[in-house]
Amino acid sequence: MKLQLAIDELSLEQALKQVDKLKQYIDIVEIGTPFLIDAGRKAVEQMKRKFPELEILCDAKIMDAGAYEAQLAYDVGADYVTVLGITDDLTINGCVEQAKKQGRKVMVDMICVKDFATRIPVLEELGVDVIAVHTGADQQQAGRTPIEDLIEMKKYVKKAQIAVAGGINSKTVEDYIALQPDIVIVGSGILNVADPVYEASLIHSTLTR
């Protein structure tokens, strides 16, 4: 089970410093969508250059021009790129084909996908690597958690790995581990606490015990 650190609101300089402190506890660094908009592809490039031992995910949330946009991320060092599950199959197929050319991976973000039973078999047939439960920040503020969606997703995923994100921290992570996802994604639950290193160590120890 891997721990993915989602970085959204830091500057590139701040992010590099935080990852340097947290690197022993994390497996994947996510260049979150707001971070990507702010810092551009150089965030992916510099993160991979400084931490080659870590996997880097570019949370591009691709919605169109799949092959080209995936290539833009892979060319600067991304190991994963995200594409939205609600987009067209041709777009997702373009991402998958580009990933195969470069030996990289595609994660599908299932935010706003309502029919898992119908959509997940199609995504697996397209050859995606990871399917991710994602409860967005706006949904979290309304009181929604990813647990229900993770339980539902487990019914239908047969081949892809499963990732889960949305308000997870050291106090709630055991609830998710019980459902055995492959990747647990934590952002503010680590970065917005008084001691991010301690929090990351708690979550890491829970995942690996």
Side-chain angles (χ1 to χ4, degrees):
M1 200 174 295
K2 293 182 177 180
L3 176 56
Q4 178 172 314
L5 177 69
I7 303 174
D8 286 323
E9 299 177 359
L10 301 181
S11 69
L12 179 53
E13 181 180 1
Q14 290 170 330
L16 290 168
K17 288 179 179 178
Q18 283 286 26
V19 173
D20 193 43
K21 296 175 183 176
L22 299 168
K23 60 187 177 184
Q24 64 181 311
Y25 301 116
I26 60 178
D27 304 287
I28 304 170
V29 179
E30 174 186 327
I31 307 301
T33 312
F35 185 22
L36 182 64
I37 291 171
D38 180 51
R41 289 193 300 158
K42 67 180 181 180
V44 177
E45 186 174 32
Q46 291 191 29
M47 196 68 70
K48 190 63 178 180
R49 182 182 299 142
K50 186 167 183 179
F51 307 104
E53 73 278 12
L54 299 177
E55 293 182 298
I56 308 299
L57 180 141
C58 179
D59 190 19
K61 291 189 174 69
I62 294 171
M63 191 68 176
D64 192 18
Y68 177 62
E69 293 190 8
Q71 181 182 347
L72 289 175
Y74 296 142
D75 282 352
V76 291
D79 298 285
Y80 299 79
V81 70
T82 60
V83 61
L84 293 179
I86 58 173
T87 196
D88 190 84
D89 291 354
L90 290 172
T91 299
I92 296 172
N93 188 62
C95 293
V96 171
E97 289 185 350
Q98 189 60 229
K100 288 179 178 177
K101 286 180 184 178
Q102 300 211 32
R104 310 297 171 84
K105 295 180 181 180
V106 174
M107 179 184 288
V108 177
D109 185 328
M110 297 292 279
I111 193 168
C112 296
V113 174
K114 299 187 184 301
D115 186 355
F116 285 180
T118 300
R119 192 59 177 145
I120 287 172
V122 174
L123 295 172
E124 293 199 313
E125 186 64 26
L126 289 169
V128 304
D129 301 284
V130 187
I131 300 176
V133 172
H134 181 190
T135 302
D138 294 336
Q139 293 174 311
Q140 289 177 50
Q141 289 181 6
R144 187 176 177 86
T145 72
I147 286 286
E148 294 82 5
D149 286 341
L150 181 56
I151 292 170
E152 185 72 7
M153 182 180 287
K154 292 281 290 187
K155 297 177 184 177
Y156 306 110
V157 174
K158 306 300 181 186
K159 296 183 289 186
Q161 291 191 321
I162 294 175
V164 59
I168 302 171
N169 56 45
S170 63
K171 296 180 178 64
T172 62
V173 69
E174 288 196 24
D175 295 334
Y176 295 90
I177 291 173
L179 295 167
Q180 298 184 314
D182 300 283
I183 300 170
V184 174
I185 304 170
V186 185
S188 60
I190 290 175
L191 295 173
N192 290 355
V193 300
D195 190 341
V197 175
Y198 180 64
E199 181 73 7
S201 71
L202 289 178
I203 295 171
H204 177 267
S205 64
T206 305
L207 294 179
T208 55
R209 71 185 179 196

